[in-house]
Amino acid sequence: MAVKKWVYLFEEGNKDQKDLLGGKGANLAEMTNLGLPVPPGFIITTQACNAFSAGGKFPPGLMKQVTAALKRVEKETGKSFGDPTNPLLVSVRSGAKFSMPGMMDTVLNLGLNDETLRGIIELTGNARFAYDAYRRFVMMFSDIVLDLDRHHFEQMLDDMKRRLGVKLDTEVGADALVQLVARYRAFFRKTMGYDFPGDPLQQLEMAIRAVFNSWNNKRAVDYRNYHKIPHDLGTAVSVQTMVFGNMGEDSGTGVAFTRDVATGEKVIYGEYLMNAQGEDVVAGVRTPIKISELGKQNPRIYKQFLAIATKIERHYRDAMDIEFTIERGKLWILQCRVGKRTAAAAVKIAVDMAGERLITRREALLRVDANQINQLLLPGFDSKAMEEAAKSGRLLARGLNASPGAATGIAVFDADRAEELGKNGKAVILVRPETTPDDVHGMLASKGILTARGGATSHAAVVARGLGLPCVAGAEGIAVDERRRQFTVDGRVIKEGDEISIHGTTGEVFAGAIKTIEPKLEENEDLRALLEWADKERRLGVWANADYPRDAQRARAFGAEGIGLCRTEHMFMEAERLPIVQKMILAETPAKRRKYLDRLLPFQRGDFEGIFEAMDGLPVVIRLIDPPLHEFLPNRLELVEQAATLRAESPTSRKLKSLEKMLAAVEGMAEMNPMLGLRGCRLSIIMPEIVEMQTRAIMEAACRCKKRGVDVHVKIMIPLVGHVNELKFVRDRLEPVAKQVMQEQGIDADYRFGTMIEIPRAAITAGEIAAIAEFFSFGTNDLTQTTFGFSRDDAEGKFLLKYVEDKILPVNPFQTLDRDGVGELVRMAVERGRAANPNLELGICGEHGGDPESIFFCHQVGLDYVSASPFRVPVARLAAAQAGLSDTAFKDK
Ligand code: PEP
Ligand code: MG
C-alpha cells in the first residue's frame, strides 16, 4: 500500500488547502508561490495529526517524509540541520483550519544545541544573540513540549536581572546569558531526571508530537466548544526556517494589517520593534513603534513592505494581517491571514472594497457577520471614558450581560419612584434584588435595569430585551437594601439618587456617569449602504416585534417593513392601567368585567393609534391577550405575608378585607403549569369580553387613523390555537365586533384575522386551520417549548447549559431554531397551510426571527417574512440577504 503524503513543501500547496494544511500553512504555501520572501519550510498535514490522535503514534512514513523535506529546505537555504558550521534552525508552529489565537503553541530556534550554538556565534559574531536564542529555546521547548512551566525559567531570568540591577531583558549581557543557560539546563536535569535533548532531529520529532497533542489540550477544546469549531479537524504543523529580528539594529519584527481593523480605514495599521523577536512585540516589555515610523527609519524596507502588503491584499481580496521580520536589512514575510476586525471595520472594509471593485457587492454582503452588526446600533459607552472609569476604581461589579446596550442614570430602588422620576425626565437606572411583573411600569420609565439576582431568563432579562433596555442581571457582590434605598458592594454604598452606569453588553456596573453614544443608522453611511444592497438581494420581508409607538418608530428607522408582533398585554402593565386590569380580572360577573374593560378601552385605542401612525402604510400584527391572568395580579407569597401582618396589627381593617379578597382570587387562579394552562385563545373562550374590547379598540383606532389619512393595515392575531374550533370560536365572536365598529365609524378599514402556530397540533392540522386564517405567524418560542416539552424558564435555568456543554443538543434551541424537530413542524405547517389556502401569509415572530441561522431556515422553507426585535432588524435584513444569496451566490463573480 502506498504511504500517504503527510508532508508538503511550501511550494507544493496553496491557499485553498486549509483543511489539509491549516490556515497558516495554506497561506505560507500561497505566499511562497506568489514569489514573496517567505523563509523556506514545509507543512505536516492535519490528516497526520488525526492519524496520530487515533493511533497514539506517528503514522507510517511520517518522519521519513519530514527528513526528506528537511533536506530540500537545507538545499534551498544552504544551511543544514545539526551542522555546527552553518546550522539550520527552525520554528515549529501549530495551525488549524480556523485560527485559534493563543490556543496552541510555538517553539522557536529549534535545532540549537552546544555544537550548533558555536556555529551561530561564529557566523554572527554575536555571542549575546546566540545565547539569548538558546535560552529562549530551552524555555519554550521545556514549557510546550515537556510541560515544564515557563514561569520557572522566567523567575530565573528575573533573579538574574535583579542581581545585575537591570530592568530590560536586552540589558542582560552575554556572560550572564551563558550562566543563565547553564542554570536552565541544570534545572531541567534536576526536574526531569535527564539531560535537555540535544539531537535536533529528536527535538523536532518531540515538538511535532507536542503540537499534535496540543490539539486536544483543555484550552483548545474549550475554545473550539465556544466557537463551535468541530473537534475532528486536527491541526497542521508548519516547520519553517528561522529568521531573526534580534540580530542588531538592522533587524526587527512586527505585525501589520493592510487596513485599520478598528475603524476600517484604508491605511496600513500595525507596529514593530527593532532588534526584537516576535514575542517581545506581544509581551509589552518594550513599547512597539507605529508602522508608519518605519518609513522614516528605513524607507527602503518600508517601501518594499507596502508593495508586498498591497500585493497580498489584492491577491486575497481582503484586509490581511501580516507578520514580518527584518533580518540584517532583509525583509521576510512569516505569516498572513485574514485580519480579524471590529464590526464597524467589517462593514467599512466590505463597502469600500466593493467601491474599489476589489469584490462585488454580493461578496461584500457575505463578508459581514450579520450577528455582529447588532452592536453598531446599540447605545454604548465611549471606550476611553470606560477605560478611565475602570482605572480610577469606579468599576463596582460585574454581572450577567442580560440585555445589550449601555446607560447612565440615578439609582432608584422601587418601580413607582422610577416611574415618577422617569416621567419627570430623569434618567433612571432601576436597581432591584430581582424584578417581577409588578415592576414593569418602573422598568418602562427607566434607562436601564440592574438586578442582584437572576440569570439570562430572569424576568428582568427577558423584559429588558423585549424593551430594548440595557440590563445587567445577577451582579455579583451587590446587596440591595430596599428599605434604606441603597445597595452596597465591597463596602461601598450607593444611595438613591447616586449616579451609576451599566453596560448590558459587557455586564459591567460603574459608579458615576460615563459618556454614552447613541448611534443612528442614518449617520452610518457604510452600514446604510450595505443594508440597501441587502434589501435588493432578499426575498424575505423583515418586520419587527414592537409593543409601543416608540419601538415601532425605531424599528421603522432601522428598516422594518411592518410589525409582526405587538404583544398587547404589556400595555396592561402600565401604572395607571394595572389597577383597572386587576379589578377587571376580579370582577364577579361579565357585566362588571365589561365596566372595567370600558375604562381600559381608551388606553388601548390610544396605544394602537400611536402604532398605526408610526407604521403608516405598513402592516401591523396585533396579538390579542396571551398570558395567564395571574401575571397581572400580585405575587401570592407577598400577599400571604402582608395579610399575616395585617391580621396581627389591624384585624378589622378594610385593607385586610380587600387583601384577603385578592389573595382568594390569586389562589383561585393558581395553576400547576401556567404555561400550559388558561392562556391564549383558551382565555378568550372562557372570558371573551377581554378580546372583544381589544378588537373594538383596534378597529376604532384603525378607523380613526384612516379618517386622519393614515394608511392602516391591521392583522388581528389569535394566539395559542391547537384546534381549528378554538380559532373558529374566537373569530366568530370577534368578526361581528369589527364589522360593528366600522359601521359605527362609517368607514371601512383593511383588517384580517390570523393565528399563531405555536402548538404542535396546530402545525399538524395547519390545513384545517388555514381554511379560516388569513395568516400564520410561527410563535417559535412556544413551539420550541411545546415540541421539546421544555419549560423555557426551567430549562434555561437548570439544564440547557449542560445539554449544550455535553453536546446533547448542539445549541440552545430557544436561540437557534431546531431544524430537525421544530423546523419540521414549521415546514409541515407551511406546506399544509398553503395547500389549503394559497393566499395564506406566513411569518415568524418568535425570537428566532432575529437569529441569522434561523432566518436562513425561514428563507429555505419559504416564509414571507421574519419579525425581529427593533435592534435586530438590521441583522435580519443582512441575514435575509445572505440567505437569498445562498441560492444565487457568486453567479456574477
Ligand atoms: C412565541 O411563542 O414565539 C411568541 C412570539 O409568543 P410569546 O413569546 O409572547 O409567547
Ligand atoms: Mg407564544
mmCIF file of all heavy atoms in Angstrom, residues 56-83:
data_model
loop_
_atom_site.group_PDB
_atom_site.id
_atom_site.type_symbol
_atom_site.label_atom_id
_atom_site.label_comp_id
_atom_site.label_asym_id
_atom_site.label_seq_id
_atom_site.Cartn_x
_atom_site.Cartn_y
_atom_site.Cartn_z
ATOM 1 N N GLY A 56 -2.364 7.051 18.424
ATOM 2 C CA GLY A 56 -1.445 7.282 19.534
ATOM 3 C C GLY A 56 0.021 7.268 19.109
ATOM 4 O O GLY A 56 0.921 7.344 19.939
ATOM 5 N N LYS A 57 0.273 7.158 17.812
ATOM 6 C CA LYS A 57 1.669 7.233 17.341
ATOM 7 C C LYS A 57 1.708 7.836 15.936
ATOM 8 O O LYS A 57 0.667 7.928 15.267
ATOM 9 C CB LYS A 57 2.327 5.853 17.368
ATOM 10 C CG LYS A 57 1.647 4.778 16.554
ATOM 11 C CD LYS A 57 2.454 3.487 16.684
ATOM 12 C CE LYS A 57 2.171 2.463 15.623
ATOM 13 N NZ LYS A 57 0.959 1.739 15.615
ATOM 14 N N PHE A 58 2.910 8.248 15.516
ATOM 15 C CA PHE A 58 3.036 8.834 14.182
ATOM 16 C C PHE A 58 2.596 7.825 13.127
ATOM 17 O O PHE A 58 2.912 6.642 13.234
ATOM 18 C CB PHE A 58 4.497 9.209 13.893
ATOM 19 C CG PHE A 58 4.940 10.485 14.573
ATOM 20 C CD1 PHE A 58 6.288 10.834 14.601
ATOM 21 C CD2 PHE A 58 4.023 11.344 15.171
ATOM 22 C CE1 PHE A 58 6.717 11.998 15.206
ATOM 23 C CE2 PHE A 58 4.443 12.518 15.780
ATOM 24 C CZ PHE A 58 5.793 12.847 15.803
ATOM 25 N N PRO A 59 1.890 8.276 12.107
ATOM 26 C CA PRO A 59 1.512 7.338 11.053
ATOM 27 C C PRO A 59 2.744 6.887 10.274
ATOM 28 O O PRO A 59 3.756 7.606 10.227
ATOM 29 C CB PRO A 59 0.571 8.168 10.172
ATOM 30 C CG PRO A 59 0.900 9.586 10.447
ATOM 31 C CD PRO A 59 1.387 9.646 11.856
ATOM 32 N N PRO A 60 2.701 5.720 9.632
ATOM 33 C CA PRO A 60 3.865 5.182 8.952
ATOM 34 C C PRO A 60 4.385 6.133 7.870
ATOM 35 O O PRO A 60 3.597 6.703 7.118
ATOM 36 C CB PRO A 60 3.357 3.888 8.302
ATOM 37 C CG PRO A 60 1.920 3.761 8.640
ATOM 38 C CD PRO A 60 1.525 4.860 9.551
ATOM 39 N N GLY A 61 5.672 6.306 7.871
ATOM 40 C CA GLY A 61 6.292 7.124 6.812
ATOM 41 C C GLY A 61 6.417 8.587 7.167
ATOM 42 O O GLY A 61 7.062 9.355 6.445
ATOM 43 N N LEU A 62 5.826 9.033 8.279
ATOM 44 C CA LEU A 62 5.812 10.466 8.558
ATOM 45 C C LEU A 62 7.220 11.036 8.732
ATOM 46 O O LEU A 62 7.601 11.990 8.045
ATOM 47 C CB LEU A 62 4.957 10.762 9.803
ATOM 48 C CG LEU A 62 4.981 12.225 10.254
ATOM 49 C CD1 LEU A 62 4.386 13.132 9.194
ATOM 50 C CD2 LEU A 62 4.231 12.429 11.564
ATOM 51 N N MET A 63 8.015 10.428 9.631
ATOM 52 C CA MET A 63 9.326 11.017 9.903
ATOM 53 C C MET A 63 10.242 10.931 8.680
ATOM 54 O O MET A 63 11.084 11.792 8.463
ATOM 55 C CB MET A 63 9.977 10.385 11.140
ATOM 56 C CG MET A 63 9.520 10.982 12.463
ATOM 57 S SD MET A 63 9.382 12.791 12.526
ATOM 58 C CE MET A 63 11.098 13.291 12.632
ATOM 59 N N LYS A 64 10.006 9.899 7.862
ATOM 60 C CA LYS A 64 10.801 9.772 6.651
ATOM 61 C C LYS A 64 10.516 10.950 5.709
ATOM 62 O O LYS A 64 11.427 11.558 5.141
ATOM 63 C CB LYS A 64 10.424 8.449 5.946
ATOM 64 C CG LYS A 64 11.599 7.740 5.357
ATOM 65 C CD LYS A 64 11.211 6.346 4.991
ATOM 66 C CE LYS A 64 11.960 5.983 3.732
ATOM 67 N NZ LYS A 64 11.427 4.770 3.127
ATOM 68 N N GLN A 65 9.243 11.278 5.613
ATOM 69 C CA GLN A 65 8.876 12.416 4.753
ATOM 70 C C GLN A 65 9.377 13.729 5.347
ATOM 71 O O GLN A 65 9.757 14.643 4.629
ATOM 72 C CB GLN A 65 7.364 12.460 4.562
ATOM 73 C CG GLN A 65 6.826 11.280 3.761
ATOM 74 C CD GLN A 65 5.313 11.381 3.522
ATOM 75 O OE1 GLN A 65 4.746 12.461 3.482
ATOM 76 N NE2 GLN A 65 4.677 10.229 3.351
ATOM 77 N N VAL A 66 9.391 13.797 6.684
ATOM 78 C CA VAL A 66 9.881 15.011 7.341
ATOM 79 C C VAL A 66 11.365 15.201 7.027
ATOM 80 O O VAL A 66 11.807 16.297 6.645
ATOM 81 C CB VAL A 66 9.649 14.948 8.873
ATOM 82 C CG1 VAL A 66 10.456 16.011 9.601
ATOM 83 C CG2 VAL A 66 8.167 15.106 9.196
ATOM 84 N N THR A 67 12.144 14.131 7.135
ATOM 85 C CA THR A 67 13.587 14.283 6.884
ATOM 86 C C THR A 67 13.853 14.600 5.414
ATOM 87 O O THR A 67 14.740 15.394 5.087
ATOM 88 C CB THR A 67 14.389 13.044 7.332
ATOM 89 O OG1 THR A 67 13.646 11.881 7.014
ATOM 90 C CG2 THR A 67 14.670 13.034 8.807
ATOM 91 N N ALA A 68 13.014 14.031 4.528
ATOM 92 C CA ALA A 68 13.190 14.343 3.099
ATOM 93 C C ALA A 68 12.905 15.819 2.847
ATOM 94 O O ALA A 68 13.646 16.506 2.112
ATOM 95 C CB ALA A 68 12.255 13.466 2.260
ATOM 96 N N ALA A 69 11.845 16.330 3.481
ATOM 97 C CA ALA A 69 11.501 17.746 3.295
ATOM 98 C C ALA A 69 12.594 18.635 3.876
ATOM 99 O O ALA A 69 12.955 19.670 3.299
ATOM 100 C CB ALA A 69 10.160 18.049 3.953
ATOM 101 N N LEU A 70 13.147 18.201 5.017
ATOM 102 C CA LEU A 70 14.237 18.965 5.642
ATOM 103 C C LEU A 70 15.412 19.103 4.684
ATOM 104 O O LEU A 70 16.022 20.160 4.567
ATOM 105 C CB LEU A 70 14.711 18.236 6.893
ATOM 106 C CG LEU A 70 14.281 18.802 8.250
ATOM 107 C CD1 LEU A 70 14.799 17.923 9.370
ATOM 108 C CD2 LEU A 70 14.757 20.237 8.445
ATOM 109 N N LYS A 71 15.705 17.997 4.007
ATOM 110 C CA LYS A 71 16.821 18.007 3.041
ATOM 111 C C LYS A 71 16.604 19.095 1.990
ATOM 112 O O LYS A 71 17.510 19.823 1.617
ATOM 113 C CB LYS A 71 16.924 16.644 2.329
ATOM 114 C CG LYS A 71 17.551 15.547 3.162
ATOM 115 C CD LYS A 71 19.045 15.434 2.873
ATOM 116 C CE LYS A 71 19.863 14.773 3.963
ATOM 117 N NZ LYS A 71 19.430 14.776 5.333
ATOM 118 N N ARG A 72 15.347 19.191 1.520
ATOM 119 C CA ARG A 72 15.034 20.191 0.493
ATOM 120 C C ARG A 72 15.217 21.608 1.038
ATOM 121 O O ARG A 72 15.723 22.493 0.365
ATOM 122 C CB ARG A 72 13.595 20.015 -0.013
ATOM 123 C CG ARG A 72 13.357 18.698 -0.728
ATOM 124 C CD ARG A 72 13.923 18.742 -2.145
ATOM 125 N NE ARG A 72 13.250 19.756 -2.945
ATOM 126 C CZ ARG A 72 12.165 19.515 -3.684
ATOM 127 N NH1 ARG A 72 11.669 18.295 -3.744
ATOM 128 N NH2 ARG A 72 11.600 20.494 -4.387
ATOM 129 N N VAL A 73 14.782 21.790 2.284
ATOM 130 C CA VAL A 73 14.925 23.116 2.900
ATOM 131 C C VAL A 73 16.417 23.434 3.088
ATOM 132 O O VAL A 73 16.865 24.557 2.844
ATOM 133 C CB VAL A 73 14.172 23.170 4.246
ATOM 134 C CG1 VAL A 73 14.434 24.479 4.968
ATOM 135 C CG2 VAL A 73 12.678 22.985 4.024
ATOM 136 N N GLU A 74 17.163 22.424 3.490
ATOM 137 C CA GLU A 74 18.609 22.626 3.670
ATOM 138 C C GLU A 74 19.237 23.061 2.358
ATOM 139 O O GLU A 74 20.062 23.977 2.308
ATOM 140 C CB GLU A 74 19.262 21.321 4.147
ATOM 141 C CG GLU A 74 18.940 21.006 5.602
ATOM 142 C CD GLU A 74 19.485 19.645 6.048
ATOM 143 O OE1 GLU A 74 19.748 18.787 5.175
ATOM 144 O OE2 GLU A 74 19.622 19.448 7.266
ATOM 145 N N LYS A 75 18.784 22.412 1.295
ATOM 146 C CA LYS A 75 19.361 22.723 -0.003
ATOM 147 C C LYS A 75 19.054 24.176 -0.387
ATOM 148 O O LYS A 75 19.923 24.913 -0.846
ATOM 149 C CB LYS A 75 18.757 21.769 -1.049
ATOM 150 C CG LYS A 75 19.651 21.575 -2.227
ATOM 151 C CD LYS A 75 19.313 20.325 -2.989
ATOM 152 C CE LYS A 75 19.905 20.487 -4.378
ATOM 153 N NZ LYS A 75 19.024 20.009 -5.419
ATOM 154 N N GLU A 76 17.843 24.558 -0.133
ATOM 155 C CA GLU A 76 17.416 25.897 -0.509
ATOM 156 C C GLU A 76 18.117 26.987 0.311
ATOM 157 O O GLU A 76 18.435 28.056 -0.193
ATOM 158 C CB GLU A 76 15.906 26.011 -0.292
ATOM 159 C CG GLU A 76 15.228 26.828 -1.357
ATOM 160 C CD GLU A 76 13.716 26.721 -1.221
ATOM 161 O OE1 GLU A 76 13.200 25.593 -1.020
ATOM 162 O OE2 GLU A 76 13.068 27.757 -1.268
ATOM 163 N N THR A 77 18.322 26.682 1.584
ATOM 164 C CA THR A 77 18.906 27.713 2.455
ATOM 165 C C THR A 77 20.427 27.646 2.499
ATOM 166 O O THR A 77 21.083 28.563 2.996
ATOM 167 C CB THR A 77 18.398 27.545 3.903
ATOM 168 O OG1 THR A 77 18.698 26.212 4.322
ATOM 169 C CG2 THR A 77 16.920 27.796 4.019
ATOM 170 N N GLY A 78 20.969 26.514 2.066
ATOM 171 C CA GLY A 78 22.418 26.325 2.173
ATOM 172 C C GLY A 78 22.862 26.039 3.600
ATOM 173 O O GLY A 78 24.047 26.028 3.903
ATOM 174 N N LYS A 79 21.905 25.846 4.498
ATOM 175 C CA LYS A 79 22.253 25.530 5.889
ATOM 176 C C LYS A 79 21.884 24.080 6.126
ATOM 177 O O LYS A 79 21.116 23.495 5.367
ATOM 178 C CB LYS A 79 21.433 26.395 6.847
ATOM 179 C CG LYS A 79 21.606 27.888 6.602
ATOM 180 C CD LYS A 79 20.706 28.676 7.525
ATOM 181 C CE LYS A 79 20.898 30.166 7.259
ATOM 182 N NZ LYS A 79 20.280 31.008 8.222
ATOM 183 N N SER A 80 22.422 23.483 7.198
ATOM 184 C CA SER A 80 21.892 22.153 7.487
ATOM 185 C C SER A 80 21.665 21.919 8.971
ATOM 186 O O SER A 80 22.318 22.497 9.833
ATOM 187 C CB SER A 80 22.702 21.041 6.826
ATOM 188 O OG SER A 80 24.032 21.206 7.145
ATOM 189 N N PHE A 81 20.675 21.056 9.167
ATOM 190 C CA PHE A 81 20.158 20.762 10.500
ATOM 191 C C PHE A 81 21.234 20.060 11.311
ATOM 192 O O PHE A 81 21.769 19.031 10.890
ATOM 193 C CB PHE A 81 18.936 19.849 10.322
ATOM 194 C CG PHE A 81 17.869 20.043 11.356
ATOM 195 C CD1 PHE A 81 17.493 21.308 11.789
ATOM 196 C CD2 PHE A 81 17.217 18.933 11.892
ATOM 197 C CE1 PHE A 81 16.485 21.465 12.726
ATOM 198 C CE2 PHE A 81 16.216 19.089 12.831
ATOM 199 C CZ PHE A 81 15.858 20.361 13.244
ATOM 200 N N GLY A 82 21.589 20.607 12.434
ATOM 201 C CA GLY A 82 22.587 19.984 13.298
ATOM 202 C C GLY A 82 24.021 20.234 12.861
ATOM 203 O O GLY A 82 24.957 19.751 13.492
ATOM 204 N N ASP A 83 24.197 21.022 11.801
ATOM 205 C CA ASP A 83 25.560 21.260 11.294
ATOM 206 C C ASP A 83 26.211 22.398 12.082
ATOM 207 O O ASP A 83 25.732 23.532 12.048
ATOM 208 C CB ASP A 83 25.451 21.622 9.799
ATOM 209 C CG ASP A 83 26.800 21.997 9.196
ATOM 210 O OD1 ASP A 83 27.815 21.977 9.940
ATOM 211 O OD2 ASP A 83 26.830 22.307 7.990
#
